[in-house]
């Protein structure tokens, strides 16, 4: 643990950790591609760092990555970081205009792509961006850039509740602090192996599923993509000691489990990013035969702030506060603490807090050193936190944050719509799904399928409302605003 605390940058720590694990002969990555040792991973990261330097990337510069899940993508990310850049995975399969919108919103001008996503290069380049198929450059092993804990290390796109693209800026110190806390809670060692099934553009997929195991010397089984029906076979093939997913993933895996012997290597499961019911929690533990460790965190606080220890998990909670972080419950809209056993807004302080948002008009959620999460919670006597509600509007669908305002703005472009409001509705599989309430202009008509198509053409598939309900008028509160709470009660 001292190495994590003493290192000035994540890249410096990774260089040391990878060299140490390489000397011990440990494997870093496994998958359909075979095995990548720590020695090979270190050489690949250094080669991508050389390529980044030849590209002329400046210290702290934002660089997007559109790439498939592969050892090359992983090495590219850490190679860019080693060269001093601030890399950011962007969701593959997005329309070129959406990629351009995101890049322009945060002032990003460079994009690295792999061969699987090379088709996006030309239209993004035509939009004025510097796009390259970045390949490793062999040569003398140069030292990494001289970076400190305050240098930018990673950016994460998030829409939050505004619907406007913005980036969460994370420093090397942020990533180090998160890694320290997670390693202490999970007690990872080189004997561990993670089954990596989450998308690389998710904060957990990088911070907790690449950074953390690489520092600990664990190996990562990097599969091509998540397919529920293939997970049990992957568990049998790669023999991981743990895996991480969102509740929706686990609920989809359950019907495909048939042979307990194929899951015998597991010592725990991790779950986060979205609420999980007590019933589903128990079903997962019964099916897998190991503890399910539920955690809580936000991209704005790097990744994880509370987690259930694998040996002392408490169902119905998101665990205890990680080392180095300060989590308090404040009465909403005030700086007054909720008091013992009281409910309050979950507020986070400490070295994991992001530098801030980047993006036009992005309101900074950190005030007086506290990140206001918008979530409500309550601590029990032993320090376990339970999430009791949410005071923000974000819809969490299968672990993905959706902005209702973004869906509303898209629907409002249809000429037949006079007004609309989108809220989250409970869903047995996905946790929440968007439901749109729509009022039409006099004499106008629009079919539900037509409006869903409008959303699907402008936004990713996850934003398409599960239902569109036509109403004569939207309910309003005493100050004339649409009463979202009343609509939530309807669903």
């Amino acid at each position: 643990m001292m190495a994590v605390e003493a290192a000035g940058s994540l890249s410096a720590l990774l260089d040391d950790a990878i060299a140490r694990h390489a000397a011990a002969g440990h494997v870093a990555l496994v998958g359909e591609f075979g095995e990548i040792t720590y020695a090979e991973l270190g050489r690949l990261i250094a080669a991508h760092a050389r390529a980044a330097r030849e590209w002329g990337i400046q210290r702290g510069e934002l660089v997007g990555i559109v790439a498939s899940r592969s050892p090359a993508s992983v090495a590219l990310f850490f190679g860019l970081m080693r060269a001093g850049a601030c890399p950011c995975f962007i969701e593959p399969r997005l329309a070129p205009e959406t990629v351009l919108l995101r890049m322009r919103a945060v002032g990003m001008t460079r994009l690295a792509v792999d061969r699987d996503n090379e088709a996006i290069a030309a239209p993004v380049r035509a939009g004025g961006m510097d796009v390259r198929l970045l390949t490793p450059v062999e040569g003398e092993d140069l030292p990494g850039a001289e970076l400190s804990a305050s240098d930018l290390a990673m950016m994460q796109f998030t829409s939050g509740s505004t619907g406007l693209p913005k980036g969460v800026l994370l420093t090397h110190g942020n990533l180090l602090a998160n890694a320290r806390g997670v390693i202490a809670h999970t007690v990872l060692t080189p004997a561990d192996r993670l089954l990596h099934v989450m998308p690389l553009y998710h904060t957990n997929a990088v911070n907790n599923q690449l950074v953390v195991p690489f520092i600990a010397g664990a190996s990562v089984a990097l599969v091509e993509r998540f397919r529920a029906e293939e997970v049990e076979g992957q568990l049998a093939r790669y023999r991981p000691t743990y895996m991480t997913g969102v509740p929706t993933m686990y609920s989809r895996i359950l019907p495909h489990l048939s042979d307990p012997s194929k899951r015998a290597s597991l010592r725990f499961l991790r779950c986060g990013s979205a609420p999980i019911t007590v019933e589903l929690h128990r079903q997962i533990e019964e099916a897998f035969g190991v503890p399910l460790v539920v955690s809580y965190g936000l991209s704005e606080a790097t990744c994880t702030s509370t987690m259930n220890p694998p040996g002392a998990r408490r169902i119905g909670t998101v665990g205890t506060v990680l080392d180095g972080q300060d989590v308090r419950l404040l009465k909403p809209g005030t700086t007054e603490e909720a008091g013992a056993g009281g409910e309050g807004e979950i507020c986070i302080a400490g070295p994991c807090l992001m530098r801030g948002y980047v993006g036009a008009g992005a309101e900074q959620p950190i005030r007086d050193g506290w990140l206001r999460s918008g979530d409500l919670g309550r601590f029990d006597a032993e320090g376990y936190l339970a999430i009791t509600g949410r005071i923000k509007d974000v819809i969490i669908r299968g672990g993905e944050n959706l902005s209702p305002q973004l869906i509303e703005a898209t629907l409002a472009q249809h000429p037949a719509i006079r007004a609309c409001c989108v809220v989250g509705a409970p869903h047995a599989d996905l946790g929440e799904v968007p439901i749109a309430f729509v009022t039409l202009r006099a004499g106008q008509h629009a079919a539900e399928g037509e409006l869903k198509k409008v959303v699907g053409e402008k936004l990713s598939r996850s934003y398409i409302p599960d239902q569109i309900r036509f109403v004569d008028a939207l309910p309003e509160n005493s100050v004339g605003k649409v009463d979202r709470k009343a609509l939530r009660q309807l669903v």
Side-chain angles (χ1 to χ4, degrees):
M1 295 306 301
M2 291 303 294
V4 179
E5 294 174 328
S9 73
L10 177 67
S11 289
L13 177 66
L14 278 176
D15 280 352
D16 293 343
I18 288 173
R20 190 167 63 253
H21 305 319
H26 294 152
V27 171
L29 295 162
V30 297
E32 292 291 337
F33 46 81
E35 288 189 350
I36 304 292
T37 66
Y38 270 98
E40 292 167 326
L41 177 63
R43 287 193 292 270
L44 196 54
I45 290 173
H48 276 293
R50 282 190 290 273
R53 292 191 186 99
E54 290 189 3
W55 195 3
I57 290 172
Q58 302 299 305
R59 182 173 177 173
E61 184 177 357
L62 302 179
V63 181
I65 301 172
V66 178
S68 302
R69 296 164 55 82
S70 68
S73 303
V74 172
L76 170 59
F77 179 87
F78 289 108
L80 287 167
M81 187 189 297
R82 190 176 193 264
C86 180
C88 170
F89 279 115
I90 299 175
E91 182 180 354
R93 297 177 297 279
L94 287 178
E97 56 267 27
T98 302
V99 174
L100 279 167
L101 174 66
R102 292 189 179 188
M103 293 179 69
R104 288 169 179 156
V106 299
M108 180 188 291
T109 61
R110 297 185 197 256
L111 182 70
V113 300
D114 66 359
R115 294 199 180 278
D116 290 343
N117 294 275
E118 201 169 2
I120 202 174
V124 174
R125 191 178 290 119
M129 302 301 174
D130 186 356
V131 186
R132 293 199 182 187
L133 175 66
L134 206 59
T135 55
V137 174
E138 301 300 330
E140 183 184 356
D141 188 13
L142 302 174
E146 291 292 330
L147 303 170
S148 69
S150 62
D151 274 289
L152 291 177
M154 172 184 176
M155 193 190 78
Q156 183 80 36
F157 273 110
T158 180
S159 64
S161 59
T162 67
L164 299 174
K166 58 180 179 286
V168 173
L169 294 174
L170 299 175
T171 68
H172 284 262
N174 293 153
L175 272 59
L176 287 168
N178 180 82
R180 180 179 64 237
V182 173
I183 290 173
H185 251 61
T186 54
V187 197
L188 291 184
T189 73
D192 283 300
R193 171 171 289 177
L194 164 72
L195 180 63
H196 195 306
V197 296
M198 293 184 68
L200 290 175
Y201 57 85
H202 194 288
T203 182
N204 196 300
V206 173
N207 280 298
N208 289 352
Q209 298 182 61
L210 292 176
V211 174
V212 165
F214 288 165
I215 291 174
S219 57
V220 176
L222 188 69
V223 299
E224 181 183 354
R225 58 174 295 184
F226 171 73
R227 295 184 178 90
E229 67 275 13
E230 295 180 2
V231 169
E232 187 171 61
Q234 292 163 348
L235 293 172
R237 177 178 180 180
Y238 298 117
R239 314 303 293 172
T241 58
Y242 73 112
M243 69 172 286
T244 297
V246 301
T248 301
M249 287 180 168
Y250 287 116
S251 68
R252 292 179 179 176
I253 293 169
L254 292 180
H256 300 286
L257 298 179
S258 60
D259 186 352
S261 67
K262 294 182 177 180
R263 310 187 292 276
S265 62
L266 290 171
R267 70 180 179 94
F268 69 93
L269 303 170
R270 277 202 59 193
C271 182
S273 302
I276 184 170
T277 65
V278 170
E279 179 184 7
L280 179 58
H281 192 141
R282 295 191 190 280
Q283 289 174 352
I284 294 168
E285 288 195 342
E286 181 178 356
F288 281 90
V290 295
L292 176 66
V293 173
V294 178
S295 61
Y296 170 82
L298 299 90
S299 297
E300 292 82 353
T302 303
C303 189
T304 304
S305 292
T306 70
M307 181 191 297
N308 274 274
R313 68 98 181 91
R314 188 164 294 183
I315 292 180
T317 79
V318 291
T320 54
V321 179
L322 267 59
D323 290 352
Q325 298 201 46
D326 190 358
V327 178
R328 299 184 189 179
L329 304 180
L330 304 181
K331 294 182 180 179
T334 76
T335 57
E336 182 182 353
E337 291 197 45
E343 182 184 72
E345 182 180 10
I346 300 170
C347 299
I348 305 166
C352 285
L353 292 193
M354 66 174 180
R355 176 178 292 182
Y357 287 137
V358 60
E363 182 180 351
Q364 302 301 329
I366 300 173
R367 296 187 293 276
D368 300 322
W370 291 96
L371 171 65
R372 312 292 298 226
S373 72
D375 296 316
L376 296 170
R378 180 178 285 110
F379 280 110
D380 67 15
E382 285 74 39
Y384 283 76
L385 178 65
I387 308 298
T388 57
R390 196 160 71 244
I391 58 177
K392 57 187 179 182
D393 294 329
V394 171
I395 299 167
I396 304 178
R397 180 189 186 277
E400 182 177 0
N401 287 4
L402 306 181
S403 163
Q405 286 85 358
L406 188 57
I407 303 173
E408 291 162 4
T410 303
L411 285 170
Q413 297 174 26
H414 193 283
I417 291 180
R418 179 167 62 88
C420 60
C421 182
V422 176
V423 298
H427 190 277
D429 182 28
L430 297 169
E432 280 186 315
V433 291
I435 302 290
F437 289 85
V438 169
T439 64
L440 298 177
R441 300 181 186 277
Q444 296 291 312
H445 174 77
E448 181 177 18
E450 177 186 2
L451 296 182
K452 287 183 177 181
K453 184 178 179 181
V454 168
V455 177
E457 288 175 345
K458 299 289 186 180
L459 306 174
S460 63
R461 186 173 60 182
S462 59
Y463 280 82
I464 299 174
D466 189 67
Q467 299 176 36
I468 294 181
R469 301 187 184 184
F470 296 93
V471 294
D472 293 332
L474 297 174
E476 295 181 350
N477 59 23
S478 59
V479 294
K481 292 185 178 180
V482 175
D483 191 344
R484 292 181 183 271
K485 183 177 181 181
L487 292 177
R488 289 193 191 99
Q489 291 174 344
L490 288 177
V491 299

